[in-house]
Structures are given as C-alpha cells and as structure tokens.
Amino acid sequence: MHSSPFTLHFEQPVLEVRGLTKIFPGGTRALDDVSVSVPDGQFVVVIGLSGAGKSTFLRCINRLLEPTSGRVILDGEEVTAASLKRLRQIRRQIGMIFQQFNLIKRESVLINVLAGALGSAHLLHSLIGYWPKADVERAMANLERVGIAEKAFQRADTLSGGQQQRVAIARTLMQEPRLLLADEPVASLDPATSHSVMRYVEQINREDGITVICNLHFLSLARRYADRVLAFRAGQLVADLPPEAIDGAKFREIYGEDAVEVEVA
Amino acid sequence: MARVEARPLARPPMHSFPSSQARRVRLAIVLAALVVAHVVGWQMAKINIPALIVGLPNMRHIVLGLLQPDAFEPIRDVTKVESELTILPAGSPVPAESGRRTVGTPGGPQATVQPAQVRPGQPVYVQGSGWPAGKKGEVLLAASYGGRPRSAGAFTVAPDGTINHAFYAPASEGAFDLVVQVVTPRFGWRPTETLLLSLRLMVETLFLALMGTSLAIVFTLPLSFLGARNLMGKTRVGRAIYYVTRTVFNLLRSIEVVIIVTIMAVVVGIGSFAGVLAIVVHSIGALGKLYSEAIESIDPGPIEAISATGAHPLQVIRYAVVPQVIPEFLSFTLYRMDINVRMSTIVGLVGGGGIGFILTQYINLLQWNQAGTAIWLIAIAVTAIDYLSAWLREKIV
Ligand SMILES: Nc1ncnc2c1ncn2[C@@H]1O[C@H](COP(=O)(O)OP(=O)(O)OP(=O)(O)O)[C@@H](O)[C@H]1O
Ligand SMILES: [Mg+2]
C-alpha cells in the first residue's frame, strides 16, 4: 500500500540516507556508502551477519554514533547537519529499542515509561521528578497498550525479558515518534516471547503509522514482519528486496556459502 | 608433508647457564643493596631497643590511666561551710581581737571558728549546729593561694546536730581556707567532670566529622560527574576537564589530613573549623575518585536509551546515571564517614579541636586517668560508628 506507484513519487520519504559511511577509530569501515530511502509507514527489516554494520546503521541515524560522512534526512530535515540542541528535538521523532532493553533497572516501570517524554518535558520539573498528570495518564495508557499496566509500580528489573521490552516499547510510544529504530529487539528472548514482542512492534507500525527499521537475526522473523528487507554485508548494503524474494541463492549471497537457515518457531 | 622429527623440548644448555648466572648476580646485588639500606636505616631511624626495654615501665601510667579512667564517682551528700583561718608567725603578739568567725546559714549548718587568728600550736575551736546528726565529719585546711587541703581532724556530729571540735594550729603561717564538711555516701555513681567534658568533646568530634563529610559531598557530587570518563570523554574539552578534575582529586587525596589541619589552622585559627576544613579538603579527593569510578562502571545502555529520546544531558544524568550510582555513592559515603570520625579524633592532636585536643592536654599535664577516659571514649565511638557504617552499607547493597 505504501509503496504504490502513485504515491511513491509525490510522498516525501520519512527517512533518506545518502552515502552514509562510518569508519571507527581503529579503521573498521562499519558502514560503507549506504544509501536508502524509506517511505512513510514502511516496516523495514535489516539483516546481515554479526559485525555487518546493522547496529552501526541504526545508531548513525539518530547520531548515537557520529557518521564519518554521508547524510541522514528525516522528514526533509538533515539530521547530520543539526546542532546538538536541534538534534535533541529531532531525536524526539525517533524512538529506539534495544536488545538489552536498557531500562532504568532500579526505577519503577512507570518512571521508565515517563522517561520517554523527557524530550518534551519541563527541564526543572523532570529533574525534581515531577510529572504532569497528563503525562502520567498517557504513560498508563501506553502501558495498557502493551498489556502490562498492572506492573506500573513494580521495579523494572523485576520484570521478565519480554515484559521489559514491552516497557521499552511503551517508552518510545511516549515520544509519539515518526520512526522507530529497533536493534535486535528480540535477540535475548525465547521464540514465543519474540513473536509477542514483535506483534506489538507490528501493531504500532500498522495502527500508529510509525515507520519501523528493525535489525533481526532470524530470517523467519524478517519474512513474517517485514515489508522490505535490507541486507548488509561488511558495511555495505548488498540487497534491498521484498521478504518473499529471499531464496536460497540470495540467502547464501548475504550470509555466505556455508550458512544454513535456522527457523524460529 | 614429511614426518616431523621428534625432538625433545630441550632448552639449550649452553644458553641457560649464563642467563641463570646473570640472574643470580642480579639477585645478589639486590640483596646486598637491601642489607645496606637496612643497616643505614637502623641508624637513621635511631632504633634503640634498650631504650624501649628501659622505658617500658613508663607505660604503666597510661595503662593505669586506662584501667582507672576518670569516668564515674560515687554519689555523696556533702554538707559543708567554708571559713578562714590566719596563722600568724610564731612569737608574734596575739592581737587583742583574735576574733571569732561564724559562717553558714542560720538554722542550716553553721560553724563558728575561734579564734580566727592564731599562732602555731595554739588550739582552734570549731563549734556549730544544724549538722546531720550522728554523721562523721572532717575539718580541712587549704592554703588560700591553692594547693592540696590537709586534714585538721575528724569529728562526729552530736545527736542534736551540734559539733564540737578542736585542733592545734599547724606550724605554717599564712591565710587558710577552713572547710567544715560532713560527707554522707549514698548508693550509686555519677559521671565525673572529666567524663562529661570528654563526652561533650566526643560529640563535637562526631559533628566535626559529619560536617566535614557533608560539606565534602556538596562539592564532590557535581565534580565527580566531571571526573567520569564515560560522560566526559566524548569531546576534546570534556577530556580536558576530566583530566583536570581527576588530577585535582589525586592531589587532594595525597595530602594527609594532619598536614592540611596545620595549614588550615594558620588560615582560620586553631579549633574545630580548621579540622572541618581539613577533612573537607581530603574527603573531596578521596570521595571524588570513588564517585567518579562508580559512575564510570555503570551500564551505558540506559544512557543511550535516554539520550535517544531527545533528553537534555542533565535529564540523562538524572534518569540514567543517578539511579545506577546511588547505592554505591551511599556505600562510599558511609565508608568515608567512618574514616572521617577516626580522622577527626586525630585532627585535634594538631590543633583541629574536638576530643583529640583535650587528650593532648591531659597527656601533657600527666593526667593519666583523664587521658584514659578520653581514649576509652574515642575507642568506643570509633568502634560504634565502624559497626553502624558496616551494617548500613550491608543494608544498602
Ligand atoms: N565502538 C566501536 N569501535 C570500533 N569498532 C566498532 C565499534 N562498534 C562496532 N564496531 C565494529 O563495526 C563493525 C560493525 O559493528 P555492528 O555492531 O554495527 O555490527 P552488527 O551488524 O550490529 O553485529 P551484531 O549482529 O553482532 O550486533 C564490526 O566490525 C564492529 O567490530
Ligand atoms: Mg548489533
């Protein structure tokens, strides 16, 4: 639907990446001249071997890592050219979830969700821990959406992995983002839990129209959730194709000749 | 490939000999240097074992002081009146009015001393009324300019509360305070002046440590973030600030508190405030290093996650850093408080106020029992804080 030929030419892409390159101080070329354009509402899955540059790609988009060269453009604005102050405003548009969930372990679930609203919160109020009623209500509603409202006052580290990732999703929902970056969000979860978490990601993509770029290890998950698959190899974008187009030959091209596909239930 | 010749993992014998000999020579040189250093050191440090053995008995003062600290005394009812007695030079004429002197409260204990001026060897009569019947009493003479009172005889109060006592004036002329007193022991003990004073100064010392620690925290909390590499290492300016902060911490930490007190005593004068300042300065260095290292060891994940939401750097610290470091900060702070209590007893020895100050005075005046009291209090307080701090730290972690 989003990639229909009629809208494609008129609609501005949410994300435009041009010639993105990241060379680490050690000399590792983790991203090598990557260009890609992501239309609004697309669910993009990034695959590739460990070390292929998937995480680096996501981190360069919101500049958790500074790219060595190239441009990242979000909704027509160049992220890579933004001042630090402007970058903070742009980051509010980009949610991010991580393999290790990255919650504040000793704080309550509710505080963790509220933290997603820090970018728009009153600085002093947030520093003394005061949250407006509206934010708290929104946080509870978002917890409701990921099905763990009853855990709101529990410490975050008392939750299971799947529950923690749902808290992280609720946290990004507080940002009401345009784009969600997910860096292997289910890599530390069992297969069944993986699907339950991925379904929440899919849900916010379909219902809220939030564009998703998600790194995944398992091709089966990619086939199940992706509108489009980007494959990285040694920092280069080697394939950009619909999920059903990944056949055995493509698979070996991406993962190497010796690779065997593993299914996730 | 062809079969590999089986060869033992032999060390070449010609090679090992000179190297092991070289090692032996090096060892011999090091040992010889150590022996020389210790021989010279023995003389430089003026080590004198006989002096230790001969002087050891001097320890008995301190040991006795510790065994009999001036801490509690039995409660006694003391009924007394004070009068005066002038002892004239021997052979001087007796004044026409040798006088009599009545002191005390009418109805209460009263005593009349007659005569009030007397020559050595002449009798002095002490009569009175209103004293606790049947109790034993004593007359004391003490030179007016001070000195130990000496007894001028004991008496027993008559059933009607009167006393009737006589003694011969001693052969030492001058003005004397004459004290008539009846001491009645009662059941129980009460703290002595020394104990009360030492207690007050011990409390002062604890507060000295508290203020030193708290003021140090006020400065260290913000500074420690500047001394954390994971927060500051991202930019060139940040790295410069990091190095400066860490260097300052190391400098402050390396100067002993006792040295800082003597400097501070020059600035603000001898007293507790100098002690507080010294503890503050040293604690900033010590706590700063511990705090910064605690910050450096946190999980960077939450920092990334909170930064990615578009949060301000201060919000990142408040939400991603602070919750992670709170338990360690508390633990380090309690540990520091514990050390500072010990330090604050020391600072008094060099002019920093508190109990250490009075302890040096007692020792200089050879008041061993009083010194014993102060030492006991220090030992008890330090041990108590030590246990309390350890217990609290265990609760937190
Ligand atoms: N901070 C860093 N400093 C130096 N090299 C790095 C750094 N982070 C990543 N790299 C290197 O960059 C390359 C790409 O790493 P990246 O983490 O993006 O891979 P990935 O595709 O996410 O792998 P994985 O599936 O294991 O998460 C790797 O060779 C990695 O060693
Ligand atoms: Mg990765």
mmCIF file of all heavy atoms in Angstrom, chain A residues 168-200:
data_model
loop_
_atom_site.group_PDB
_atom_site.id
_atom_site.type_symbol
_atom_site.label_atom_id
_atom_site.label_comp_id
_atom_site.label_asym_id
_atom_site.label_seq_id
_atom_site.Cartn_x
_atom_site.Cartn_y
_atom_site.Cartn_z
ATOM 1 N N ALA A 168 9.874 -0.937 27.225
ATOM 2 C CA ALA A 168 10.688 -0.099 26.333
ATOM 3 C C ALA A 168 9.846 0.397 25.160
ATOM 4 O O ALA A 168 9.997 1.537 24.716
ATOM 5 C CB ALA A 168 11.899 -0.878 25.836
ATOM 6 N N ILE A 169 8.957 -0.446 24.669
ATOM 7 C CA ILE A 169 8.072 -0.012 23.572
ATOM 8 C C ILE A 169 7.139 1.094 24.057
ATOM 9 O O ILE A 169 6.945 2.115 23.383
ATOM 10 C CB ILE A 169 7.274 -1.220 23.020
ATOM 11 C CG1 ILE A 169 8.227 -2.185 22.312
ATOM 12 C CG2 ILE A 169 6.182 -0.751 22.071
ATOM 13 C CD1 ILE A 169 7.592 -3.504 21.907
ATOM 14 N N ALA A 170 6.590 0.898 25.264
ATOM 15 C CA ALA A 170 5.715 1.944 25.831
ATOM 16 C C ALA A 170 6.501 3.245 25.990
ATOM 17 O O ALA A 170 5.963 4.338 25.789
ATOM 18 C CB ALA A 170 5.163 1.490 27.175
ATOM 19 N N ARG A 171 7.785 3.138 26.338
ATOM 20 C CA ARG A 171 8.615 4.329 26.492
ATOM 21 C C ARG A 171 8.726 5.075 25.160
ATOM 22 O O ARG A 171 8.593 6.295 25.118
ATOM 23 C CB ARG A 171 10.009 3.924 27.004
ATOM 24 C CG ARG A 171 10.992 5.081 27.069
ATOM 25 C CD ARG A 171 12.231 4.731 27.863
ATOM 26 N NE ARG A 171 13.061 3.722 27.205
ATOM 27 C CZ ARG A 171 14.114 3.155 27.777
ATOM 28 N NH1 ARG A 171 14.464 3.469 29.008
ATOM 29 N NH2 ARG A 171 14.815 2.240 27.136
ATOM 30 N N THR A 172 8.942 4.339 24.077
ATOM 31 C CA THR A 172 9.064 5.044 22.793
ATOM 32 C C THR A 172 7.716 5.596 22.352
ATOM 33 O O THR A 172 7.667 6.622 21.674
ATOM 34 C CB THR A 172 9.619 4.131 21.679
ATOM 35 O OG1 THR A 172 8.663 3.137 21.402
ATOM 36 C CG2 THR A 172 10.920 3.515 22.082
ATOM 37 N N LEU A 173 6.631 4.919 22.746
ATOM 38 C CA LEU A 173 5.305 5.436 22.376
ATOM 39 C C LEU A 173 5.074 6.809 22.990
ATOM 40 O O LEU A 173 4.349 7.632 22.432
ATOM 41 C CB LEU A 173 4.205 4.466 22.827
ATOM 42 C CG LEU A 173 4.031 3.226 21.953
ATOM 43 C CD1 LEU A 173 3.029 2.267 22.582
ATOM 44 C CD2 LEU A 173 3.591 3.614 20.543
ATOM 45 N N MET A 174 5.687 7.069 24.173
ATOM 46 C CA MET A 174 5.561 8.385 24.811
ATOM 47 C C MET A 174 6.092 9.487 23.904
ATOM 48 O O MET A 174 5.666 10.628 23.982
ATOM 49 C CB MET A 174 6.319 8.425 26.138
ATOM 50 C CG MET A 174 5.726 7.580 27.239
ATOM 51 S SD MET A 174 4.062 8.048 27.681
ATOM 52 C CE MET A 174 4.356 9.536 28.645
ATOM 53 N N GLN A 175 7.059 9.132 23.048
ATOM 54 C CA GLN A 175 7.651 10.127 22.151
ATOM 55 C C GLN A 175 6.723 10.447 20.987
ATOM 56 O O GLN A 175 6.943 11.424 20.285
ATOM 57 C CB GLN A 175 8.988 9.606 21.589
ATOM 58 C CG GLN A 175 10.087 9.500 22.614
ATOM 59 C CD GLN A 175 11.333 8.828 22.035
ATOM 60 O OE1 GLN A 175 11.719 7.748 22.460
ATOM 61 N NE2 GLN A 175 11.957 9.469 21.062
ATOM 62 N N GLU A 176 5.720 9.603 20.753
ATOM 63 C CA GLU A 176 4.892 9.700 19.554
ATOM 64 C C GLU A 176 5.785 9.910 18.339
ATOM 65 O O GLU A 176 5.688 10.912 17.625
ATOM 66 C CB GLU A 176 3.862 10.825 19.711
ATOM 67 C CG GLU A 176 2.865 10.480 20.802
ATOM 68 C CD GLU A 176 1.913 11.624 21.155
ATOM 69 O OE1 GLU A 176 2.123 12.738 20.643
ATOM 70 O OE2 GLU A 176 0.992 11.366 21.926
ATOM 71 N N PRO A 177 6.671 8.927 18.088
ATOM 72 C CA PRO A 177 7.713 9.151 17.079
ATOM 73 C C PRO A 177 7.207 8.942 15.656
ATOM 74 O O PRO A 177 6.151 8.339 15.440
ATOM 75 C CB PRO A 177 8.748 8.090 17.446
ATOM 76 C CG PRO A 177 7.938 6.962 17.998
ATOM 77 C CD PRO A 177 6.754 7.586 18.687
ATOM 78 N N ARG A 178 7.982 9.454 14.699
ATOM 79 C CA ARG A 178 7.727 9.206 13.284
ATOM 80 C C ARG A 178 8.351 7.882 12.894
ATOM 81 O O ARG A 178 7.854 7.186 12.017
ATOM 82 C CB ARG A 178 8.385 10.321 12.447
ATOM 83 C CG ARG A 178 7.701 11.632 12.541
ATOM 84 C CD ARG A 178 6.479 11.657 11.647
ATOM 85 N NE ARG A 178 6.839 11.802 10.232
ATOM 86 C CZ ARG A 178 6.193 11.201 9.235
ATOM 87 N NH1 ARG A 178 5.178 10.417 9.491
ATOM 88 N NH2 ARG A 178 6.561 11.388 7.980
ATOM 89 N N LEU A 179 9.475 7.602 13.562
ATOM 90 C CA LEU A 179 10.298 6.477 13.152
ATOM 91 C C LEU A 179 10.699 5.692 14.393
ATOM 92 O O LEU A 179 11.015 6.277 15.419
ATOM 93 C CB LEU A 179 11.553 7.038 12.453
ATOM 94 C CG LEU A 179 12.656 6.088 12.023
ATOM 95 C CD1 LEU A 179 12.152 5.164 10.925
ATOM 96 C CD2 LEU A 179 13.855 6.882 11.521
ATOM 97 N N LEU A 180 10.667 4.355 14.283
ATOM 98 C CA LEU A 180 11.135 3.527 15.395
ATOM 99 C C LEU A 180 12.341 2.715 14.927
ATOM 100 O O LEU A 180 12.260 1.995 13.928
ATOM 101 C CB LEU A 180 10.026 2.586 15.874
ATOM 102 C CG LEU A 180 10.460 1.557 16.926
ATOM 103 C CD1 LEU A 180 10.859 2.235 18.231
ATOM 104 C CD2 LEU A 180 9.361 0.527 17.187
ATOM 105 N N LEU A 181 13.454 2.857 15.645
ATOM 106 C CA LEU A 181 14.632 2.052 15.368
ATOM 107 C C LEU A 181 14.665 0.924 16.392
ATOM 108 O O LEU A 181 14.587 1.168 17.594
ATOM 109 C CB LEU A 181 15.907 2.898 15.489
ATOM 110 C CG LEU A 181 15.949 4.188 14.664
ATOM 111 C CD1 LEU A 181 17.205 4.988 14.989
ATOM 112 C CD2 LEU A 181 15.874 3.884 13.178
ATOM 113 N N ALA A 182 14.731 -0.313 15.921
ATOM 114 C CA ALA A 182 14.749 -1.447 16.845
ATOM 115 C C ALA A 182 15.991 -2.277 16.557
ATOM 116 O O ALA A 182 16.120 -2.860 15.479
ATOM 117 C CB ALA A 182 13.482 -2.277 16.679
ATOM 118 N N ASP A 183 16.912 -2.308 17.519
ATOM 119 C CA ASP A 183 18.174 -3.021 17.313
ATOM 120 C C ASP A 183 18.100 -4.405 17.943
ATOM 121 O O ASP A 183 18.320 -4.570 19.139
ATOM 122 C CB ASP A 183 19.331 -2.210 17.909
ATOM 123 C CG ASP A 183 20.678 -2.755 17.466
ATOM 124 O OD1 ASP A 183 20.707 -3.743 16.708
ATOM 125 O OD2 ASP A 183 21.706 -2.175 17.873
ATOM 126 N N GLU A 184 17.777 -5.372 17.131
ATOM 127 C CA GLU A 184 17.604 -6.755 17.586
ATOM 128 C C GLU A 184 16.750 -6.831 18.850
ATOM 129 O O GLU A 184 17.205 -7.323 19.885
ATOM 130 C CB GLU A 184 18.968 -7.398 17.811
ATOM 131 C CG GLU A 184 19.711 -7.518 16.497
ATOM 132 C CD GLU A 184 21.048 -8.203 16.618
ATOM 133 O OE1 GLU A 184 21.225 -8.920 17.612
ATOM 134 O OE2 GLU A 184 21.881 -8.032 15.729
ATOM 135 N N PRO A 185 15.509 -6.382 18.762
ATOM 136 C CA PRO A 185 14.677 -6.245 19.963
ATOM 137 C C PRO A 185 14.324 -7.578 20.617
ATOM 138 O O PRO A 185 13.957 -7.594 21.782
ATOM 139 C CB PRO A 185 13.412 -5.547 19.440
ATOM 140 C CG PRO A 185 13.357 -5.884 17.997
ATOM 141 C CD PRO A 185 14.787 -5.950 17.540
ATOM 142 N N VAL A 186 14.454 -8.682 19.881
ATOM 143 C CA VAL A 186 14.029 -9.961 20.463
ATOM 144 C C VAL A 186 15.179 -10.952 20.563
ATOM 145 O O VAL A 186 14.968 -12.128 20.832
ATOM 146 C CB VAL A 186 12.854 -10.578 19.655
ATOM 147 C CG1 VAL A 186 11.637 -9.677 19.768
ATOM 148 C CG2 VAL A 186 13.234 -10.784 18.200
ATOM 149 N N ALA A 187 16.408 -10.476 20.366
ATOM 150 C CA ALA A 187 17.536 -11.406 20.322
ATOM 151 C C ALA A 187 17.797 -12.086 21.656
ATOM 152 O O ALA A 187 18.396 -13.158 21.702
ATOM 153 C CB ALA A 187 18.793 -10.686 19.856
ATOM 154 N N SER A 188 17.354 -11.466 22.787
ATOM 155 C CA SER A 188 17.582 -12.165 24.053
ATOM 156 C C SER A 188 16.302 -12.820 24.578
ATOM 157 O O SER A 188 16.207 -13.094 25.769
ATOM 158 C CB SER A 188 18.179 -11.229 25.109
ATOM 159 O OG SER A 188 18.254 -9.921 24.672
ATOM 160 N N LEU A 189 15.336 -13.031 23.689
ATOM 161 C CA LEU A 189 14.072 -13.616 24.142
ATOM 162 C C LEU A 189 13.838 -14.977 23.481
ATOM 163 O O LEU A 189 14.381 -15.264 22.417
ATOM 164 C CB LEU A 189 12.922 -12.673 23.776
ATOM 165 C CG LEU A 189 13.029 -11.249 24.321
ATOM 166 C CD1 LEU A 189 11.885 -10.396 23.802
ATOM 167 C CD2 LEU A 189 13.049 -11.259 25.838
ATOM 168 N N ASP A 190 13.008 -15.798 24.132
ATOM 169 C CA ASP A 190 12.702 -17.094 23.542
ATOM 170 C C ASP A 190 11.730 -16.894 22.367
ATOM 171 O O ASP A 190 11.121 -15.832 22.242
ATOM 172 C CB ASP A 190 12.115 -18.020 24.611
ATOM 173 C CG ASP A 190 10.808 -17.487 25.144
ATOM 174 O OD1 ASP A 190 9.809 -17.513 24.407
ATOM 175 O OD2 ASP A 190 10.811 -17.007 26.302
ATOM 176 N N PRO A 191 11.601 -17.908 21.501
ATOM 177 C CA PRO A 191 10.821 -17.733 20.273
ATOM 178 C C PRO A 191 9.390 -17.239 20.503
ATOM 179 O O PRO A 191 8.954 -16.300 19.833
ATOM 180 C CB PRO A 191 10.814 -19.139 19.665
ATOM 181 C CG PRO A 191 12.075 -19.756 20.149
ATOM 182 C CD PRO A 191 12.300 -19.207 21.522
ATOM 183 N N ALA A 192 8.688 -17.821 21.461
ATOM 184 C CA ALA A 192 7.300 -17.421 21.670
ATOM 185 C C ALA A 192 7.228 -15.969 22.129
ATOM 186 O O ALA A 192 6.436 -15.168 21.608
ATOM 187 C CB ALA A 192 6.648 -18.333 22.704
ATOM 188 N N THR A 193 8.079 -15.617 23.071
ATOM 189 C CA THR A 193 8.102 -14.240 23.559
ATOM 190 C C THR A 193 8.514 -13.292 22.442
ATOM 191 O O THR A 193 8.006 -12.175 22.330
ATOM 192 C CB THR A 193 9.068 -14.124 24.748
ATOM 193 O OG1 THR A 193 8.863 -15.219 25.620
ATOM 194 C CG2 THR A 193 8.860 -12.831 25.501
ATOM 195 N N SER A 194 9.438 -13.762 21.595
ATOM 196 C CA SER A 194 9.871 -12.944 20.465
ATOM 197 C C SER A 194 8.672 -12.512 19.635
ATOM 198 O O SER A 194 8.523 -11.338 19.296
ATOM 199 C CB SER A 194 10.821 -13.737 19.575
ATOM 200 O OG SER A 194 12.034 -13.949 20.231
ATOM 201 N N HIS A 195 7.834 -13.477 19.328
ATOM 202 C CA HIS A 195 6.670 -13.149 18.493
ATOM 203 C C HIS A 195 5.739 -12.186 19.200
ATOM 204 O O HIS A 195 5.214 -11.257 18.588
ATOM 205 C CB HIS A 195 5.928 -14.419 18.085
ATOM 206 C CG HIS A 195 6.508 -15.042 16.853
ATOM 207 N ND1 HIS A 195 6.487 -14.420 15.632
ATOM 208 C CD2 HIS A 195 7.163 -16.217 16.659
ATOM 209 C CE1 HIS A 195 7.089 -15.174 14.736
ATOM 210 N NE2 HIS A 195 7.519 -16.283 15.342
ATOM 211 N N SER A 196 5.545 -12.384 20.506
ATOM 212 C CA SER A 196 4.615 -11.494 21.199
ATOM 213 C C SER A 196 5.147 -10.062 21.192
ATOM 214 O O SER A 196 4.394 -9.113 20.998
ATOM 215 C CB SER A 196 4.329 -12.002 22.614
ATOM 216 O OG SER A 196 5.260 -11.480 23.525
ATOM 217 N N VAL A 197 6.469 -9.918 21.348
ATOM 218 C CA VAL A 197 7.036 -8.566 21.308
ATOM 219 C C VAL A 197 6.962 -8.002 19.887
ATOM 220 O O VAL A 197 6.571 -6.854 19.675
ATOM 221 C CB VAL A 197 8.494 -8.573 21.829
ATOM 222 C CG1 VAL A 197 9.195 -7.264 21.496
ATOM 223 C CG2 VAL A 197 8.517 -8.804 23.334
ATOM 224 N N MET A 198 7.303 -8.852 18.898
ATOM 225 C CA MET A 198 7.282 -8.380 17.507
ATOM 226 C C MET A 198 5.873 -7.965 17.087
ATOM 227 O O MET A 198 5.708 -7.030 16.304
ATOM 228 C CB MET A 198 7.808 -9.472 16.562
ATOM 229 C CG MET A 198 9.316 -9.646 16.572
ATOM 230 S SD MET A 198 10.244 -8.126 16.297
ATOM 231 C CE MET A 198 9.809 -7.751 14.605
ATOM 232 N N ARG A 199 4.866 -8.650 17.638
ATOM 233 C CA ARG A 199 3.491 -8.275 17.268
ATOM 234 C C ARG A 199 3.150 -6.875 17.780
ATOM 235 O O ARG A 199 2.418 -6.143 17.124
ATOM 236 C CB ARG A 199 2.500 -9.323 17.786
ATOM 237 C CG ARG A 199 2.297 -10.446 16.771
ATOM 238 C CD ARG A 199 1.076 -11.281 17.080
ATOM 239 N NE ARG A 199 1.249 -12.033 18.324
ATOM 240 C CZ ARG A 199 1.799 -13.269 18.358
ATOM 241 N NH1 ARG A 199 2.195 -13.855 17.242
ATOM 242 N NH2 ARG A 199 1.941 -13.892 19.501
ATOM 243 N N TYR A 200 3.707 -6.496 18.970
ATOM 244 C CA TYR A 200 3.471 -5.124 19.449
ATOM 245 C C TYR A 200 4.150 -4.116 18.529
ATOM 246 O O TYR A 200 3.600 -3.061 18.229
ATOM 247 C CB TYR A 200 3.977 -4.953 20.890
ATOM 248 C CG TYR A 200 3.036 -5.555 21.909
ATOM 249 C CD1 TYR A 200 3.388 -6.677 22.635
ATOM 250 C CD2 TYR A 200 1.781 -4.977 22.126
ATOM 251 C CE1 TYR A 200 2.532 -7.237 23.554
ATOM 252 C CE2 TYR A 200 0.912 -5.534 23.047
ATOM 253 C CZ TYR A 200 1.294 -6.660 23.759
ATOM 254 O OH TYR A 200 0.432 -7.202 24.664
#
